[in-house]
Amino acid sequence: MTWVAIAALALGTYAMRLAGPLLRSRVTVPAAVERYLSLAAVALLAALVATAALLKGAEFAGWARPAGVLVGAVLAWRKLPFVVVVMAAAATTALLRLLGVP
Amino acid sequence: MRSVLRTPRTLRDPLLRDVLALASAAAVVGLSYGAISVAAGISPVRTIAMSLFVFAGGAQFLAAGVVGAGGSAVAAVVGGLLLNARHVPFGLAIGDTVGRGPIARAVGSHVMTDEAVAFSLARPDPVTRRRAYVLAGAALFISWNIATAIGVVAGGVMGDPERYGVDAAFPAGMFALLLPALREGDAARVALGGALLALLAAPFLPAGMPVLVALGALLLAAARK
């Protein structure tokens, strides 16, 4: 990575991060639109969860990771503390890998 | 009866405790990033600059991968920007939470991450929402950067972070943060649709695009009654 490339990536990323808040500070958004904007964030986060749980690149990540995420998801559903959810997910996946599950 | 082992004050704040849990996981990944980036031939100073100024794990790992495989810096930049494009809709959704004054907005925008967005989205009240965003953003920025610097110096002492299952910790944590939002109206339907769309698109599109395709799930949102 040249310094120019690092600067381009950093500035481009920052511009995209700043765009939303800047626009929202200038424009008053009607409640109906606001609802769609929140739902858009929900759709994006759900997509991130699904792809991060199941895929490595465009391929299936193997069973250890989704199994750990599933354990965490069930615990979250049962309203266990967030720390427990995160640690149980990691521990399950780590244990499965230790046992040779990819 | 009083417990001998008193919980430290910070750990009694549920938000701070949750944020620290995710920041610890980020630190493990950051350690490995520092080591991998240097091993890929990106100098220590540039690796640290990436974490400070780009501050986006996916794009940073992508850059290290591309450069390490002998690819061009242009490919790393384009790929990284594509991965980070999701920050535009994120910012539109939580714009007011990021900061109201120009300086707060300028600083707040830089620490925008999936995790900070998820932490703030889980809280409907504007004040707690802002606090969640600031805490998550700051904690992740600090842990990511310190860990990168240590990783650069110490190399791969921790080994592959997948050994510790941190790759499962992030989606599980994000799901937990997303859950409260899913209980409202048609959010669950939109979330499920978005997840399916992204998974279906993943084999055909470059990294970053499948997640944007998930925005198509907004069509599943019922029109305002």
Short mmCIF file of all heavy atoms in Angstrom, two decimals, chain A residues 50-62 65-66 97 102, chain B residues 160 162 167 199 202 207:
data_model
loop_
_atom_site.label_atom_id
_atom_site.label_comp_id
_atom_site.label_asym_id
_atom_site.label_seq_id
_atom_site.Cartn_x
_atom_site.Cartn_y
_atom_site.Cartn_z
N ALA A 50 -25.73 -12.63 8.85
CA ALA A 50 -25.89 -13.87 8.07
C ALA A 50 -24.61 -14.21 7.31
O ALA A 50 -24.14 -15.35 7.36
CB ALA A 50 -27.06 -13.72 7.10
N THR A 51 -24.03 -13.22 6.63
CA THR A 51 -22.83 -13.52 5.84
C THR A 51 -21.64 -13.80 6.75
O THR A 51 -20.86 -14.72 6.47
CB THR A 51 -22.50 -12.36 4.87
OG1 THR A 51 -22.47 -11.13 5.59
CG2 THR A 51 -23.52 -12.25 3.76
N ALA A 52 -21.53 -13.06 7.86
CA ALA A 52 -20.41 -13.30 8.77
C ALA A 52 -20.54 -14.65 9.46
O ALA A 52 -19.54 -15.28 9.82
CB ALA A 52 -20.32 -12.19 9.81
N ALA A 53 -21.78 -15.12 9.66
CA ALA A 53 -21.99 -16.39 10.35
C ALA A 53 -21.71 -17.57 9.43
O ALA A 53 -21.24 -18.62 9.89
CB ALA A 53 -23.42 -16.47 10.88
N LEU A 54 -22.01 -17.41 8.15
CA LEU A 54 -22.00 -18.58 7.26
C LEU A 54 -20.89 -18.59 6.23
O LEU A 54 -20.52 -19.66 5.73
CB LEU A 54 -23.34 -18.68 6.53
CG LEU A 54 -24.55 -19.01 7.41
CD1 LEU A 54 -25.85 -18.80 6.65
CD2 LEU A 54 -24.46 -20.46 7.89
N LEU A 55 -20.37 -17.42 5.86
CA LEU A 55 -19.47 -17.38 4.71
C LEU A 55 -18.05 -16.94 5.05
O LEU A 55 -17.83 -16.12 5.95
CB LEU A 55 -20.02 -16.44 3.64
CG LEU A 55 -21.43 -16.72 3.12
CD1 LEU A 55 -21.83 -15.65 2.13
CD2 LEU A 55 -21.52 -18.10 2.49
N LYS A 56 -17.13 -17.50 4.30
CA LYS A 56 -15.75 -17.03 4.31
C LYS A 56 -15.48 -16.65 2.86
O LYS A 56 -15.41 -17.53 2.02
CB LYS A 56 -14.83 -18.15 4.78
CG LYS A 56 -13.44 -17.71 5.12
CD LYS A 56 -12.69 -18.85 5.77
CE LYS A 56 -11.38 -18.34 6.37
NZ LYS A 56 -10.75 -19.34 7.21
N GLY A 57 -15.40 -15.38 2.56
CA GLY A 57 -15.43 -14.97 1.17
C GLY A 57 -16.81 -15.29 0.62
O GLY A 57 -17.80 -14.91 1.22
N ALA A 58 -16.86 -16.02 -0.49
CA ALA A 58 -18.16 -16.40 -1.04
C ALA A 58 -18.48 -17.86 -0.74
O ALA A 58 -19.48 -18.39 -1.19
CB ALA A 58 -18.18 -16.14 -2.55
N GLU A 59 -17.61 -18.52 0.02
CA GLU A 59 -17.78 -19.95 0.28
C GLU A 59 -18.31 -20.20 1.69
O GLU A 59 -18.17 -19.36 2.57
CB GLU A 59 -16.43 -20.65 0.15
CG GLU A 59 -15.60 -20.17 -1.02
CD GLU A 59 -15.42 -21.24 -2.07
OE1 GLU A 59 -14.83 -22.28 -1.74
OE2 GLU A 59 -15.89 -21.03 -3.20
N PHE A 60 -18.86 -21.39 1.89
CA PHE A 60 -19.32 -21.79 3.21
C PHE A 60 -18.13 -21.81 4.18
O PHE A 60 -17.07 -22.33 3.86
CB PHE A 60 -19.97 -23.18 3.11
CG PHE A 60 -20.49 -23.69 4.41
CD1 PHE A 60 -21.36 -22.92 5.18
CD2 PHE A 60 -20.13 -24.95 4.88
CE1 PHE A 60 -21.86 -23.40 6.39
CE2 PHE A 60 -20.62 -25.43 6.08
CZ PHE A 60 -21.49 -24.65 6.84
N ALA A 61 -18.33 -21.25 5.37
CA ALA A 61 -17.22 -21.08 6.32
C ALA A 61 -16.87 -22.38 7.06
O ALA A 61 -15.88 -22.42 7.79
CB ALA A 61 -17.57 -19.99 7.32
N GLY A 62 -17.66 -23.43 6.91
CA GLY A 62 -17.47 -24.63 7.73
C GLY A 62 -18.47 -24.61 8.87
O GLY A 62 -19.12 -23.58 9.10
N ARG A 65 -18.10 -22.28 12.91
CA ARG A 65 -18.53 -20.90 13.14
C ARG A 65 -20.06 -20.77 13.25
O ARG A 65 -20.55 -20.22 14.24
CB ARG A 65 -17.97 -19.98 12.07
CG ARG A 65 -18.13 -18.51 12.44
CD ARG A 65 -17.99 -17.60 11.27
NE ARG A 65 -16.66 -17.67 10.67
CZ ARG A 65 -16.39 -17.13 9.48
NH1 ARG A 65 -17.33 -16.52 8.79
NH2 ARG A 65 -15.18 -17.22 8.99
N PRO A 66 -20.84 -21.26 12.24
CA PRO A 66 -22.29 -21.14 12.39
C PRO A 66 -22.83 -21.83 13.65
O PRO A 66 -23.80 -21.34 14.25
CB PRO A 66 -22.86 -21.78 11.12
CG PRO A 66 -21.74 -22.33 10.36
CD PRO A 66 -20.47 -21.79 10.92
N ARG A 97 -13.44 -26.39 16.85
CA ARG A 97 -12.21 -26.40 16.03
C ARG A 97 -11.13 -27.24 16.69
O ARG A 97 -10.38 -27.93 16.00
CB ARG A 97 -11.73 -24.97 15.79
CG ARG A 97 -12.65 -24.24 14.85
CD ARG A 97 -12.03 -22.99 14.25
NE ARG A 97 -12.98 -22.42 13.30
CZ ARG A 97 -13.44 -21.18 13.35
NH1 ARG A 97 -13.00 -20.36 14.28
NH2 ARG A 97 -14.31 -20.75 12.47
N PRO A 102 -14.04 -28.21 10.99
CA PRO A 102 -13.50 -27.05 10.27
C PRO A 102 -14.26 -25.75 10.57
O PRO A 102 -15.43 -25.80 10.87
CB PRO A 102 -13.67 -27.42 8.80
CG PRO A 102 -14.71 -28.48 8.77
CD PRO A 102 -14.63 -29.21 10.09
N ASP B 160 -3.67 -17.66 14.81
CA ASP B 160 -4.89 -17.37 14.08
C ASP B 160 -6.02 -17.05 15.06
O ASP B 160 -6.33 -17.85 15.93
CB ASP B 160 -5.24 -18.62 13.25
CG ASP B 160 -6.40 -18.36 12.31
OD1 ASP B 160 -7.05 -17.31 12.45
OD2 ASP B 160 -6.65 -19.22 11.45
N GLU B 162 -9.03 -17.23 14.68
CA GLU B 162 -10.12 -18.22 14.57
C GLU B 162 -9.99 -19.31 15.63
O GLU B 162 -10.96 -19.96 15.99
CB GLU B 162 -10.15 -18.83 13.16
CG GLU B 162 -10.55 -17.81 12.10
CD GLU B 162 -11.19 -18.45 10.87
OE1 GLU B 162 -11.08 -19.68 10.72
OE2 GLU B 162 -11.78 -17.71 10.08
N ASP B 167 -14.38 -15.17 15.36
CA ASP B 167 -15.18 -14.98 14.15
C ASP B 167 -16.65 -15.34 14.39
O ASP B 167 -17.52 -14.93 13.63
CB ASP B 167 -14.59 -15.77 12.97
CG ASP B 167 -14.40 -17.24 13.31
OD1 ASP B 167 -14.03 -17.55 14.45
OD2 ASP B 167 -14.61 -18.08 12.41
N LEU B 199 -27.11 -13.56 1.26
CA LEU B 199 -26.54 -14.91 1.11
C LEU B 199 -26.68 -15.38 -0.34
O LEU B 199 -25.76 -16.00 -0.89
CB LEU B 199 -27.25 -15.89 2.05
CG LEU B 199 -26.92 -15.71 3.54
CD1 LEU B 199 -27.78 -16.64 4.38
CD2 LEU B 199 -25.43 -15.98 3.79
N ALA B 202 -24.13 -13.47 -2.51
CA ALA B 202 -22.70 -13.60 -2.18
C ALA B 202 -21.86 -14.35 -3.23
O ALA B 202 -20.74 -13.92 -3.51
CB ALA B 202 -22.55 -14.25 -0.81
N ALA B 207 -17.05 -8.67 -2.65
CA ALA B 207 -17.26 -8.41 -1.22
C ALA B 207 -17.81 -7.00 -1.01
O ALA B 207 -17.35 -6.05 -1.62
CB ALA B 207 -15.96 -8.59 -0.46
#
